Amino acid sequence: MNLFQIISEIEKVDPEFTDRLTHRRSALSLLGDLGKKMALAAAPVAIGSAFNKVVAQNNLSTVNDVLNYALLLERLEYSFYNQALSAATLSANLTGAARTAVETIRAHELAHVNLLTAALGSAAAPAPANGFNFGTAFATYASFLTFAQAFEDTGVRAYKGQATKIPRTLNPTVGGNTVNLLTVALQIHSVEARHAAHIRYMRRGATAGGQTTIMPWIINSDANGAPAAVYGAGNPAADFPAEGNLVQAGVTLTTGLGTTYTADEVSAAFDEPLDNTTVTAIARSAATF
Amino acid sequence: MPEASSSSSPSTLNRRSFLASAGVATASLLVLAACEDDNPAPTTDPFIALAAGDPGVLSYFYLLERFSAEFYNKVLAAPPTDLTATDLAVLRDLYRHELAHRETLNQVFSANGLTLDVNLPALEFKYDSFTLTTRAGVLSAAQTIEDMGVAALAGAAKLVADANYLQLVLKIMAVEARHAAAIRDLNQAGSFAGADVVPQTGTEAGLNRVLTPTEVLAEFTAKYSPIKLRADNLPTS
């Protein structure tokens, strides 16, 4: 474990982090700049990931393990949006269309929780006894959306990281209906990607962080103020490359397809999977549960 | 356009493929003839039947990517004047992504010795069911195409047998869902996951709609393809 590596990870999020290492709390209170506050709030996630890279891997061995892992992430997301919708700090900005969108997303996350719970039956893990504590996430509207982007983009990567572990011929009965489990997981995966796209779009607003050039897709490994670990490589990196990956099907796409593409184009055209250990560490760094 | 069509060995052509090959050239004639003739003649209608196994499923995905890439190419060649700069930036990205998807799938065929149906790269899609002269028409068309693409990928991914191909398909699927949400938000703000594509209630609550290859190819045959596209040989589970 390398301290410089950890600090380097954090600096990707907060370039002035080293100056504040011993004064984090006082620095936070002094900062007037919303962007810096967001970056500082996000720093613990970067720490978690840097530590985690030492042992990260995909190590869920059964389908129920995979489903319980998905259930935990969906519970986290549901709780995140549920808390946001009642957070006094967000009441001035989380209004109108933005509120409607977040309510829609919360409803989807709850549906995912219910579906996964039903699919697991008696094998469903209990919800964390003390719920989820998201720390400073709801301090500002901009920090809420930054965390939301991080959770959604991580969720998309998490499903992709497990999908090939679900037998494609597994058709259990859930709530009286026969379902194909892989298809259900991919339906959820697509919905999480829709959420991610919309949250990114929301962040363009002036009170939402003013990310005026952010796109609904992930360009290179750009975190746009969210924790760098969300867009970084997992372990092993060959299986779980960073979002900036330019190689697909063994070809470097910028130059290998006959026509030249920019790195922006081909990195954005493909989302990347992430292993469960890295995903869980990101989640545990952003929330206490 | 770099249409590096993959080779198809004549010895592997079965009767259906032969009929389909012959059919492409004469498709429009036969369609015209069919319009003037009330006689149902299903046995002689030209068609392309996608192949069995992973080559067939990947051909299906290739078809979808080709269809969307050429749609954006067509739109950007003569963009409606009421498209905003934001719209155009999104449409240009979508075009380049779809092109990269199509060419990457093409690469998968050639690198793995899979046969891409020889007729698919040459198929002339029809876009005349869309209105491409106005912003509203273009965004509505793009929404239809992107939502269909996501539903098609989600519905057919389980048919991919090879885990590496499946992983690649999923990398594409997530980006198609981002596209669909983005276009929907441009079309109508806040509609990124409208109830028409992600039901809010019932057994499908919170789940993206899915379409089977049979459903999607029927849609192509009805609106977008001059020649019947058949899913009979594709795996169904």
Side-chain angles (χ1 to χ4, degrees):
Chain A
M1 209 162 298
N2 182 330
L3 184 61
F4 291 104
Q5 184 195 346
I6 295 164
I7 293 171
S8 158
E9 285 282 338
I10 297 165
E11 282 178 325
K12 287 177 193 163
V13 181
D14 179 0
E16 295 165 22
F17 181 83
T18 41
D19 295 337
R20 285 199 288 267
L21 264 180
T22 55
H23 302 290
R24 184 174 180 277
R25 195 170 291 258
S26 58
L28 181 61
S29 63
L30 290 172
L31 282 171
D33 178 15
L34 277 182
K36 285 179 181 172
K37 266 186 186 169
M38 261 194 305
L40 203 59
V45 184
I47 295 173
S49 170
F51 273 98
N52 176 61
K53 277 178 182 170
V54 180
V55 293
Q57 58 180 311
N58 231 12
N59 61 6
L60 300 173
S61 55
T62 69
V63 171
N64 278 354
D65 286 347
V66 170
L67 295 182
N68 267 318
Y69 162 68
L71 177 59
L72 179 67
L73 294 178
E74 296 292 348
R75 280 172 168 156
L76 180 148
E77 288 187 313
Y78 169 74
S79 179
F80 177 74
Y81 293 112
N82 200 41
Q83 290 182 37
L85 284 163
S86 60
T89 45
L90 301 179
S91 61
N93 289 306
L94 192 52
T95 58
R99 189 166 193 89
T100 303
V102 170
E103 285 170 349
T104 298
I105 294 173
R106 177 181 64 173
H108 292 161
E109 311 298 9
L110 181 59
H112 299 164
V113 168
N114 291 339
L115 180 65
L116 290 164
T117 305
L120 279 158
S122 60
N130 299 315
F132 298 89
N133 183 333
F134 296 98
T136 57
F138 307 122
T140 67
Y141 185 48
S143 69
F144 157 63
L145 289 176
T146 307
F147 271 75
Q149 176 188 316
F151 287 138
E152 295 293 349
D153 280 339
T154 300
V156 176
R157 297 192 72 179
Y159 276 95
K160 246 189 310 301
Q162 301 303 319
T164 56
K165 302 184 84 174
I166 302 176
R168 63 197 189 88
T169 52
L170 201 56
N171 301 302
T173 300
V174 179
N177 301 299
T178 302
V179 300
N180 179 266
L181 212 49
L182 174 59
T183 301
V184 167
L186 298 182
Q187 289 176 276
I188 296 176
H189 167 249
S190 297
V191 171
E192 301 293 346
R194 286 180 186 267
H195 294 171
H198 186 73
I199 294 285
R200 288 171 155 263
Y201 175 85
M202 290 171 79
R203 294 190 67 214
R204 287 188 161 201
T207 59
Q211 292 279 334
T212 54
T213 59
I214 196 170
M215 297 303 277
W217 25 93
I218 303 163
I219 295 169
N220 300 312
S221 293
D222 294 351
N224 295 89
V230 173
Y231 304 95
N235 189 9
D239 293 340
F240 306 104
E243 285 288 356
N245 179 31
L246 304 177
V247 179
Q248 304 292 348
V251 176
T252 302
L253 302 185
T254 42
T255 55
L257 290 178
T259 314
T260 303
Y261 293 84
T262 65
D264 285 13
E265 289 168 348
V266 294
S267 63
F270 296 85
D271 274 7
E272 298 297 338
L274 197 56
D275 60 278
N276 66 284
T277 316
T278 303
V279 167
T280 304
I282 289 171
R284 285 202 178 277
S285 304
T288 305
F289 57 92
Chain B
M1 197 160 297
E3 290 290 359
S5 63
S6 75
S7 60
S8 174
S9 163
S11 65
T12 65
L13 284 177
N14 58 21
R15 181 170 165 276
R16 282 181 173 171
S17 301
F18 174 77
L19 282 175
S21 301
V24 165
T26 56
S28 51
L29 279 177
L30 287 176
V31 167
L32 279 176
C35 291
E36 295 163 359
D37 188 349
D38 288 336
N39 290 339
T43 53
T44 57
D45 275 355
F47 61 85
I48 298 173
L50 298 185
D54 281 353
V57 182
L58 293 174
S59 292
Y60 171 60
F61 296 146
Y62 172 90
L63 179 84
L64 294 167
E65 298 298 341
R66 242 207 81 199
F67 178 64
S68 52
E70 284 167 38
F71 167 76
Y72 293 113
N73 192 28
K74 193 174 173 66
V75 167
L76 292 169
T81 52
D82 55 344
L83 283 175
T84 67
T86 302
D87 298 334
L88 281 168
V90 166
L91 292 168
R92 285 194 186 105
D93 274 9
L94 265 51
Y95 170 55
R96 297 296 288 174
H97 297 171
E98 307 297 9
L99 210 52
H101 292 168
R102 186 194 72 185
E103 290 308 302
T104 301
L105 287 172
N106 215 352
Q107 170 66 26
V108 168
F109 279 97
S110 56
N112 295 284
L114 306 180
T115 301
L116 173 63
D117 189 302
V118 67
N119 298 304
L120 294 182
L123 191 64
E124 293 275 349
F125 292 117
K126 300 186 296 181
Y127 297 97
D128 56 357
S129 59
F130 299 124
T131 301
L132 301 186
T133 50
T134 64
R135 176 181 190 267
V138 162
L139 293 181
S140 169
Q143 177 173 325
T144 299
I145 291 172
E146 294 295 342
D147 279 339
M148 179 177 72
V150 178
L153 285 161
K158 69 167 182 177
L159 307 177
V160 179
D162 182 288
N164 290 323
Y165 300 155
L166 175 60
Q167 188 64 271
L168 180 68
V169 169
L170 303 188
K171 292 179 180 199
I172 291 174
M173 185 192 302
V175 175
E176 299 295 355
R178 291 174 188 270
H179 288 176
I183 285 290
R184 291 181 70 98
D185 273 340
L186 289 181
N187 208 5
Q188 186 190 337
S191 71
F192 60 102
D196 57 320
V197 285
V198 185
Q200 291 271 18
T201 57
T203 56
E204 294 289 306
L207 301 181
N208 202 100
R209 189 174 59 122
V210 293
L211 290 168
T212 65
T214 300
E215 290 169 326
V216 171
L217 294 182
E219 189 80 355
F220 265 81
T221 299
K223 291 182 184 165
Y224 313 130
S225 171
I227 183 170
K228 185 177 170 69
L229 297 172
R230 288 171 53 165
D232 326 22
N233 300 332
L234 290 175
T236 55
S237 63

PDB file of all heavy atoms in Angstrom, chain B residues 63-88:
ATOM      1  N   LEU B  63     -26.937  -5.472 -37.617  1.00  0.00           N
ATOM      2  CA  LEU B  63     -28.034  -4.860 -38.379  1.00  0.00           C
ATOM      3  C   LEU B  63     -28.559  -3.617 -37.653  1.00  0.00           C
ATOM      4  O   LEU B  63     -28.759  -2.558 -38.266  1.00  0.00           O
ATOM      5  CB  LEU B  63     -29.155  -5.895 -38.548  1.00  0.00           C
ATOM      6  CG  LEU B  63     -30.406  -5.467 -39.297  1.00  0.00           C
ATOM      7  CD1 LEU B  63     -30.197  -5.613 -40.785  1.00  0.00           C
ATOM      8  CD2 LEU B  63     -31.607  -6.294 -38.854  1.00  0.00           C
ATOM      9  N   LEU B  64     -28.765  -3.742 -36.346  1.00  0.00           N
ATOM     10  CA  LEU B  64     -29.284  -2.618 -35.557  1.00  0.00           C
ATOM     11  C   LEU B  64     -28.309  -1.445 -35.549  1.00  0.00           C
ATOM     12  O   LEU B  64     -28.713  -0.281 -35.669  1.00  0.00           O
ATOM     13  CB  LEU B  64     -29.555  -3.065 -34.113  1.00  0.00           C
ATOM     14  CG  LEU B  64     -30.673  -4.088 -33.917  1.00  0.00           C
ATOM     15  CD1 LEU B  64     -30.611  -4.672 -32.515  1.00  0.00           C
ATOM     16  CD2 LEU B  64     -32.033  -3.457 -34.167  1.00  0.00           C
ATOM     17  N   GLU B  65     -27.023  -1.741 -35.393  1.00  0.00           N
ATOM     18  CA  GLU B  65     -26.019  -0.673 -35.361  1.00  0.00           C
ATOM     19  C   GLU B  65     -25.895  -0.006 -36.720  1.00  0.00           C
ATOM     20  O   GLU B  65     -25.744   1.217 -36.818  1.00  0.00           O
ATOM     21  CB  GLU B  65     -24.659  -1.225 -34.907  1.00  0.00           C
ATOM     22  CG  GLU B  65     -24.654  -1.797 -33.497  1.00  0.00           C
ATOM     23  CD  GLU B  65     -24.975  -0.773 -32.416  1.00  0.00           C
ATOM     24  OE1 GLU B  65     -24.866   0.435 -32.676  1.00  0.00           O
ATOM     25  OE2 GLU B  65     -25.348  -1.193 -31.303  1.00  0.00           O
ATOM     26  N   ARG B  66     -25.951  -0.805 -37.785  1.00  0.00           N
ATOM     27  CA  ARG B  66     -25.901  -0.239 -39.145  1.00  0.00           C
ATOM     28  C   ARG B  66     -27.082   0.686 -39.364  1.00  0.00           C
ATOM     29  O   ARG B  66     -26.965   1.777 -39.913  1.00  0.00           O
ATOM     30  CB  ARG B  66     -25.967  -1.382 -40.168  1.00  0.00           C
ATOM     31  CG  ARG B  66     -24.749  -1.514 -41.055  1.00  0.00           C
ATOM     32  CD  ARG B  66     -25.114  -2.155 -42.386  1.00  0.00           C
ATOM     33  NE  ARG B  66     -25.683  -1.170 -43.279  1.00  0.00           N
ATOM     34  CZ  ARG B  66     -26.423  -1.459 -44.345  1.00  0.00           C
ATOM     35  NH1 ARG B  66     -26.675  -2.714 -44.659  1.00  0.00           N
ATOM     36  NH2 ARG B  66     -26.905  -0.506 -45.108  1.00  0.00           N
ATOM     37  N   PHE B  67     -28.244   0.212 -38.930  1.00  0.00           N
ATOM     38  CA  PHE B  67     -29.474   0.996 -39.124  1.00  0.00           C
ATOM     39  C   PHE B  67     -29.391   2.334 -38.401  1.00  0.00           C
ATOM     40  O   PHE B  67     -29.726   3.379 -38.972  1.00  0.00           O
ATOM     41  CB  PHE B  67     -30.664   0.176 -38.610  1.00  0.00           C
ATOM     42  CG  PHE B  67     -31.984   0.884 -38.711  1.00  0.00           C
ATOM     43  CD1 PHE B  67     -32.516   1.221 -39.949  1.00  0.00           C
ATOM     44  CD2 PHE B  67     -32.704   1.202 -37.574  1.00  0.00           C
ATOM     45  CE1 PHE B  67     -33.741   1.873 -40.046  1.00  0.00           C
ATOM     46  CE2 PHE B  67     -33.930   1.847 -37.655  1.00  0.00           C
ATOM     47  CZ  PHE B  67     -34.447   2.183 -38.905  1.00  0.00           C
ATOM     48  N   SER B  68     -28.906   2.323 -37.171  1.00  0.00           N
ATOM     49  CA  SER B  68     -28.843   3.586 -36.425  1.00  0.00           C
ATOM     50  C   SER B  68     -27.705   4.478 -36.940  1.00  0.00           C
ATOM     51  O   SER B  68     -27.883   5.687 -37.052  1.00  0.00           O
ATOM     52  CB  SER B  68     -28.729   3.334 -34.919  1.00  0.00           C
ATOM     53  OG  SER B  68     -27.686   2.460 -34.625  1.00  0.00           O
ATOM     54  N   ALA B  69     -26.557   3.898 -37.268  1.00  0.00           N
ATOM     55  CA  ALA B  69     -25.444   4.714 -37.782  1.00  0.00           C
ATOM     56  C   ALA B  69     -25.860   5.429 -39.057  1.00  0.00           C
ATOM     57  O   ALA B  69     -25.602   6.634 -39.229  1.00  0.00           O
ATOM     58  CB  ALA B  69     -24.218   3.834 -38.034  1.00  0.00           C
ATOM     59  N   GLU B  70     -26.526   4.716 -39.942  1.00  0.00           N
ATOM     60  CA  GLU B  70     -26.906   5.341 -41.221  1.00  0.00           C
ATOM     61  C   GLU B  70     -28.025   6.352 -41.038  1.00  0.00           C
ATOM     62  O   GLU B  70     -28.131   7.319 -41.806  1.00  0.00           O
ATOM     63  CB  GLU B  70     -27.255   4.263 -42.251  1.00  0.00           C
ATOM     64  CG  GLU B  70     -25.971   3.631 -42.768  1.00  0.00           C
ATOM     65  CD  GLU B  70     -26.179   2.346 -43.555  1.00  0.00           C
ATOM     66  OE1 GLU B  70     -27.165   2.263 -44.306  1.00  0.00           O
ATOM     67  OE2 GLU B  70     -25.346   1.431 -43.403  1.00  0.00           O
ATOM     68  N   PHE B  71     -28.832   6.135 -40.014  1.00  0.00           N
ATOM     69  CA  PHE B  71     -29.866   7.132 -39.706  1.00  0.00           C
ATOM     70  C   PHE B  71     -29.205   8.469 -39.351  1.00  0.00           C
ATOM     71  O   PHE B  71     -29.559   9.522 -39.897  1.00  0.00           O
ATOM     72  CB  PHE B  71     -30.742   6.646 -38.548  1.00  0.00           C
ATOM     73  CG  PHE B  71     -31.611   7.729 -37.973  1.00  0.00           C
ATOM     74  CD1 PHE B  71     -32.754   8.154 -38.629  1.00  0.00           C
ATOM     75  CD2 PHE B  71     -31.259   8.353 -36.776  1.00  0.00           C
ATOM     76  CE1 PHE B  71     -33.540   9.170 -38.107  1.00  0.00           C
ATOM     77  CE2 PHE B  71     -32.045   9.363 -36.252  1.00  0.00           C
ATOM     78  CZ  PHE B  71     -33.185   9.778 -36.914  1.00  0.00           C
ATOM     79  N   TYR B  72     -28.241   8.420 -38.424  1.00  0.00           N
ATOM     80  CA  TYR B  72     -27.598   9.682 -38.012  1.00  0.00           C
ATOM     81  C   TYR B  72     -26.783  10.288 -39.147  1.00  0.00           C
ATOM     82  O   TYR B  72     -26.711  11.513 -39.294  1.00  0.00           O
ATOM     83  CB  TYR B  72     -26.731   9.458 -36.760  1.00  0.00           C
ATOM     84  CG  TYR B  72     -27.563   9.119 -35.552  1.00  0.00           C
ATOM     85  CD1 TYR B  72     -27.506   7.865 -34.957  1.00  0.00           C
ATOM     86  CD2 TYR B  72     -28.462  10.053 -35.028  1.00  0.00           C
ATOM     87  CE1 TYR B  72     -28.303   7.541 -33.872  1.00  0.00           C
ATOM     88  CE2 TYR B  72     -29.264   9.742 -33.943  1.00  0.00           C
ATOM     89  CZ  TYR B  72     -29.181   8.486 -33.366  1.00  0.00           C
ATOM     90  OH  TYR B  72     -29.984   8.175 -32.306  1.00  0.00           O
ATOM     91  N   ASN B  73     -26.190   9.443 -39.963  1.00  0.00           N
ATOM     92  CA  ASN B  73     -25.444   9.938 -41.122  1.00  0.00           C
ATOM     93  C   ASN B  73     -26.378  10.722 -42.040  1.00  0.00           C
ATOM     94  O   ASN B  73     -26.049  11.814 -42.511  1.00  0.00           O
ATOM     95  CB  ASN B  73     -24.831   8.744 -41.863  1.00  0.00           C
ATOM     96  CG  ASN B  73     -23.814   9.178 -42.901  1.00  0.00           C
ATOM     97  OD1 ASN B  73     -23.181  10.225 -42.754  1.00  0.00           O
ATOM     98  ND2 ASN B  73     -23.676   8.402 -43.958  1.00  0.00           N
ATOM     99  N   LYS B  74     -27.549  10.173 -42.247  1.00  0.00           N
ATOM    100  CA  LYS B  74     -28.543  10.800 -43.122  1.00  0.00           C
ATOM    101  C   LYS B  74     -29.023  12.127 -42.522  1.00  0.00           C
ATOM    102  O   LYS B  74     -29.115  13.136 -43.228  1.00  0.00           O
ATOM    103  CB  LYS B  74     -29.720   9.816 -43.264  1.00  0.00           C
ATOM    104  CG  LYS B  74     -30.709  10.118 -44.364  1.00  0.00           C
ATOM    105  CD  LYS B  74     -31.722   8.960 -44.440  1.00  0.00           C
ATOM    106  CE  LYS B  74     -32.860   9.247 -45.407  1.00  0.00           C
ATOM    107  NZ  LYS B  74     -32.411   9.337 -46.811  1.00  0.00           N
ATOM    108  N   VAL B  75     -29.280  12.120 -41.227  1.00  0.00           N
ATOM    109  CA  VAL B  75     -29.752  13.343 -40.558  1.00  0.00           C
ATOM    110  C   VAL B  75     -28.688  14.437 -40.615  1.00  0.00           C
ATOM    111  O   VAL B  75     -28.974  15.590 -40.945  1.00  0.00           O
ATOM    112  CB  VAL B  75     -30.118  13.049 -39.084  1.00  0.00           C
ATOM    113  CG1 VAL B  75     -30.305  14.345 -38.303  1.00  0.00           C
ATOM    114  CG2 VAL B  75     -31.374  12.193 -39.025  1.00  0.00           C
ATOM    115  N   LEU B  76     -27.444  14.072 -40.325  1.00  0.00           N
ATOM    116  CA  LEU B  76     -26.376  15.067 -40.247  1.00  0.00           C
ATOM    117  C   LEU B  76     -25.969  15.573 -41.629  1.00  0.00           C
ATOM    118  O   LEU B  76     -25.370  16.650 -41.752  1.00  0.00           O
ATOM    119  CB  LEU B  76     -25.174  14.484 -39.501  1.00  0.00           C
ATOM    120  CG  LEU B  76     -25.443  14.224 -38.012  1.00  0.00           C
ATOM    121  CD1 LEU B  76     -24.322  13.409 -37.388  1.00  0.00           C
ATOM    122  CD2 LEU B  76     -25.624  15.544 -37.257  1.00  0.00           C
ATOM    123  N   ALA B  77     -26.305  14.813 -42.679  1.00  0.00           N
ATOM    124  CA  ALA B  77     -26.004  15.274 -44.036  1.00  0.00           C
ATOM    125  C   ALA B  77     -26.905  16.445 -44.417  1.00  0.00           C
ATOM    126  O   ALA B  77     -26.532  17.285 -45.234  1.00  0.00           O
ATOM    127  CB  ALA B  77     -26.175  14.115 -45.020  1.00  0.00           C
ATOM    128  N   ALA B  78     -28.100  16.497 -43.831  1.00  0.00           N
ATOM    129  CA  ALA B  78     -29.044  17.588 -44.115  1.00  0.00           C
ATOM    130  C   ALA B  78     -29.840  17.889 -42.855  1.00  0.00           C
ATOM    131  O   ALA B  78     -31.031  17.603 -42.778  1.00  0.00           O
ATOM    132  CB  ALA B  78     -29.970  17.183 -45.260  1.00  0.00           C
ATOM    133  N   PRO B  79     -29.168  18.449 -41.843  1.00  0.00           N
ATOM    134  CA  PRO B  79     -29.861  18.646 -40.552  1.00  0.00           C
ATOM    135  C   PRO B  79     -30.953  19.712 -40.653  1.00  0.00           C
ATOM    136  O   PRO B  79     -30.730  20.749 -41.281  1.00  0.00           O
ATOM    137  CB  PRO B  79     -28.742  19.088 -39.612  1.00  0.00           C
ATOM    138  CG  PRO B  79     -27.652  19.589 -40.496  1.00  0.00           C
ATOM    139  CD  PRO B  79     -27.774  18.879 -41.800  1.00  0.00           C
ATOM    140  N   PRO B  80     -32.102  19.469 -40.044  1.00  0.00           N
ATOM    141  CA  PRO B  80     -33.144  20.496 -39.997  1.00  0.00           C
ATOM    142  C   PRO B  80     -32.590  21.764 -39.351  1.00  0.00           C
ATOM    143  O   PRO B  80     -31.798  21.686 -38.408  1.00  0.00           O
ATOM    144  CB  PRO B  80     -34.227  19.869 -39.114  1.00  0.00           C
ATOM    145  CG  PRO B  80     -33.985  18.407 -39.190  1.00  0.00           C
ATOM    146  CD  PRO B  80     -32.502  18.237 -39.364  1.00  0.00           C
ATOM    147  N   THR B  81     -33.015  22.918 -39.853  1.00  0.00           N
ATOM    148  CA  THR B  81     -32.434  24.177 -39.376  1.00  0.00           C
ATOM    149  C   THR B  81     -32.842  24.508 -37.949  1.00  0.00           C
ATOM    150  O   THR B  81     -32.205  25.329 -37.296  1.00  0.00           O
ATOM    151  CB  THR B  81     -32.849  25.337 -40.307  1.00  0.00           C
ATOM    152  OG1 THR B  81     -34.269  25.311 -40.436  1.00  0.00           O
ATOM    153  CG2 THR B  81     -32.199  25.186 -41.659  1.00  0.00           C
ATOM    154  N   ASP B  82     -33.910  23.867 -37.459  1.00  0.00           N
ATOM    155  CA  ASP B  82     -34.323  24.199 -36.095  1.00  0.00           C
ATOM    156  C   ASP B  82     -33.658  23.329 -35.026  1.00  0.00           C
ATOM    157  O   ASP B  82     -33.965  23.450 -33.840  1.00  0.00           O
ATOM    158  CB  ASP B  82     -35.856  24.174 -35.946  1.00  0.00           C
ATOM    159  CG  ASP B  82     -36.491  22.860 -36.366  1.00  0.00           C
ATOM    160  OD1 ASP B  82     -35.812  22.062 -37.061  1.00  0.00           O
ATOM    161  OD2 ASP B  82     -37.667  22.624 -36.023  1.00  0.00           O
ATOM    162  N   LEU B  83     -32.724  22.478 -35.425  1.00  0.00           N
ATOM    163  CA  LEU B  83     -31.943  21.743 -34.414  1.00  0.00           C
ATOM    164  C   LEU B  83     -31.030  22.734 -33.697  1.00  0.00           C
ATOM    165  O   LEU B  83     -30.409  23.584 -34.339  1.00  0.00           O
ATOM    166  CB  LEU B  83     -31.095  20.654 -35.070  1.00  0.00           C
ATOM    167  CG  LEU B  83     -31.794  19.363 -35.507  1.00  0.00           C
ATOM    168  CD1 LEU B  83     -30.809  18.464 -36.247  1.00  0.00           C
ATOM    169  CD2 LEU B  83     -32.399  18.626 -34.322  1.00  0.00           C
ATOM    170  N   THR B  84     -30.926  22.611 -32.378  1.00  0.00           N
ATOM    171  CA  THR B  84     -30.051  23.503 -31.615  1.00  0.00           C
ATOM    172  C   THR B  84     -28.615  22.974 -31.644  1.00  0.00           C
ATOM    173  O   THR B  84     -28.370  21.830 -32.054  1.00  0.00           O
ATOM    174  CB  THR B  84     -30.498  23.566 -30.146  1.00  0.00           C
ATOM    175  OG1 THR B  84     -30.271  22.289 -29.556  1.00  0.00           O
ATOM    176  CG2 THR B  84     -31.976  23.932 -30.028  1.00  0.00           C
ATOM    177  N   ALA B  85     -27.691  23.805 -31.194  1.00  0.00           N
ATOM    178  CA  ALA B  85     -26.293  23.379 -31.112  1.00  0.00           C
ATOM    179  C   ALA B  85     -26.158  22.184 -30.164  1.00  0.00           C
ATOM    180  O   ALA B  85     -25.378  21.260 -30.411  1.00  0.00           O
ATOM    181  CB  ALA B  85     -25.422  24.544 -30.638  1.00  0.00           C
ATOM    182  N   THR B  86     -26.939  22.194 -29.081  1.00  0.00           N
ATOM    183  CA  THR B  86     -26.919  21.064 -28.138  1.00  0.00           C
ATOM    184  C   THR B  86     -27.408  19.792 -28.823  1.00  0.00           C
ATOM    185  O   THR B  86     -26.815  18.725 -28.668  1.00  0.00           O
ATOM    186  CB  THR B  86     -27.813  21.382 -26.923  1.00  0.00           C
ATOM    187  OG1 THR B  86     -27.331  22.573 -26.307  1.00  0.00           O
ATOM    188  CG2 THR B  86     -27.797  20.245 -25.912  1.00  0.00           C
ATOM    189  N   ASP B  87     -28.496  19.916 -29.578  1.00  0.00           N
ATOM    190  CA  ASP B  87     -29.015  18.754 -30.316  1.00  0.00           C
ATOM    191  C   ASP B  87     -27.943  18.183 -31.239  1.00  0.00           C
ATOM    192  O   ASP B  87     -27.702  16.972 -31.269  1.00  0.00           O
ATOM    193  CB  ASP B  87     -30.202  19.153 -31.216  1.00  0.00           C
ATOM    194  CG  ASP B  87     -31.393  19.698 -30.458  1.00  0.00           C
ATOM    195  OD1 ASP B  87     -31.549  19.352 -29.277  1.00  0.00           O
ATOM    196  OD2 ASP B  87     -32.174  20.460 -31.070  1.00  0.00           O
ATOM    197  N   LEU B  88     -27.317  19.088 -31.997  1.00  0.00           N
ATOM    198  CA  LEU B  88     -26.350  18.637 -33.004  1.00  0.00           C
ATOM    199  C   LEU B  88     -25.149  17.960 -32.361  1.00  0.00           C
ATOM    200  O   LEU B  88     -24.648  16.962 -32.880  1.00  0.00           O
ATOM    201  CB  LEU B  88     -25.897  19.823 -33.862  1.00  0.00           C
ATOM    202  CG  LEU B  88     -26.903  20.227 -34.955  1.00  0.00           C
ATOM    203  CD1 LEU B  88     -26.524  21.580 -35.555  1.00  0.00           C
ATOM    204  CD2 LEU B  88     -26.985  19.169 -36.051  1.00  0.00           C
TER     205      LEU B  88
END
